[in-house]
Amino acid sequence: IIKSSREYNFPLVIKLVISDNRNAFGLKYAKKYNIPYKYYSSDNQNLFERNSLVELKKRKIKFLCLAGFMKILSKNFIRSFHHKIINIHPSLLPKFKGLNTYNRALKNNEKYTGCTVHHVSPQPDSGNIILKKKIIIYDNDTENSLKKRILKQEHKLYPEAIRCSFR
């Protein structure tokens, strides 16, 4: 997303990166590209959300892109952004909501899987779908090989979904 945001005519400017993981790649990219960033522990969800909201409002941020964020945001947090929050999920939603998507797709003998960018709603992985990318599951796929192939597609799909969100 950060790399795409540097392209001509990309519809948004990244003003801030927030993470609850000190070692998140997003924080490393933010440092590299001189984007302001914040780390807040999510041990206390209310405090994490309050700190995040204060910072987001201070910077007048009106659109959020979640990436690698593995927490469920509260209804109040989501409401405060009028559903202008999007997320990416490593499955073809509505199939395999939640965790362990690669393993579940393999165990279910699916022929295809992929990734989905969707609006965030109070029910996890249930918001309106913006875009999906389908990939074939090969007979020799493992969780790790599937994860790597899906992640490559996520990096392409997410910027495209952001463009769609601003058309």
Side-chain angles (χ1 to χ4, degrees):
I1 298 169
I2 290 173
K3 287 179 183 177
S4 293
S5 74
R6 304 291 195 197
E7 295 172 5
Y8 178 73
N9 278 343
F10 196 75
L12 59 79
V13 173
I14 298 174
K15 296 181 183 177
L16 178 67
V17 173
I18 297 177
S19 182
D20 66 338
N21 176 353
R22 289 185 198 276
N23 300 313
F25 285 116
L27 294 180
K28 292 174 186 171
Y29 278 111
K31 289 176 194 175
K32 180 179 176 179
Y33 289 98
N34 296 314
I35 298 169
Y37 60 91
K38 296 286 182 181
Y39 162 79
Y40 300 119
S41 169
S42 63
D43 290 343
N44 178 326
Q45 182 171 349
N46 290 332
L47 189 57
F48 171 83
E49 288 187 4
R50 190 169 357 135
N51 288 336
S52 297
L53 279 172
V54 165
E55 196 63 37
L56 293 165
K57 288 180 182 192
K58 182 170 82 176
R59 295 173 188 270
K60 297 181 172 102
I61 293 170
K62 294 180 173 49
F63 189 82
L64 302 181
C65 301
L66 306 181
F69 187 72
M70 301 301 289
K71 304 286 185 217
I72 297 171
L73 295 169
S74 71
K75 290 177 186 175
N76 288 335
F77 188 97
I78 294 167
R79 225 179 284 131
S80 71
F81 272 87
H82 308 288
H83 303 285
K84 292 185 179 177
I85 307 172
I86 63 173
N87 190 22
I88 191 153
H89 185 75
S91 78
L92 296 172
L93 291 175
K95 267 195 170 179
F96 306 120
K97 295 176 183 181
L99 302 174
N100 304 315
T101 58
Y102 315 110
N103 180 284
R104 289 162 53 205
L106 290 169
K107 282 189 173 180
N108 205 46
N109 294 315
E110 297 291 324
K111 301 277 186 235
Y112 299 95
T113 190
C115 51
T116 306
V117 179
H118 62 93
H119 291 275
V120 173
S121 70
Q123 296 74 37
D125 303 323
S126 298
N128 291 336
I129 292 170
I130 302 167
L131 284 178
K132 293 183 187 187
K133 176 65 177 175
K134 182 162 79 169
I135 67 166
I136 295 170
I137 298 178
Y138 299 120
D139 291 340
N140 63 344
D141 262 326
T142 63
E143 278 186 64
N144 196 43
S145 66
L146 199 53
K147 180 179 180 175
K148 284 180 182 177
R149 289 193 303 113
I150 290 174
L151 189 59
K152 275 186 180 179
Q153 295 307 314
E154 287 180 353
H155 290 164
K156 295 175 187 175
L157 189 68
Y158 214 149
E160 182 63 27
I162 292 168
R163 287 181 185 95
C164 287
S165 296
F166 285 90
R167 285 190 185 131

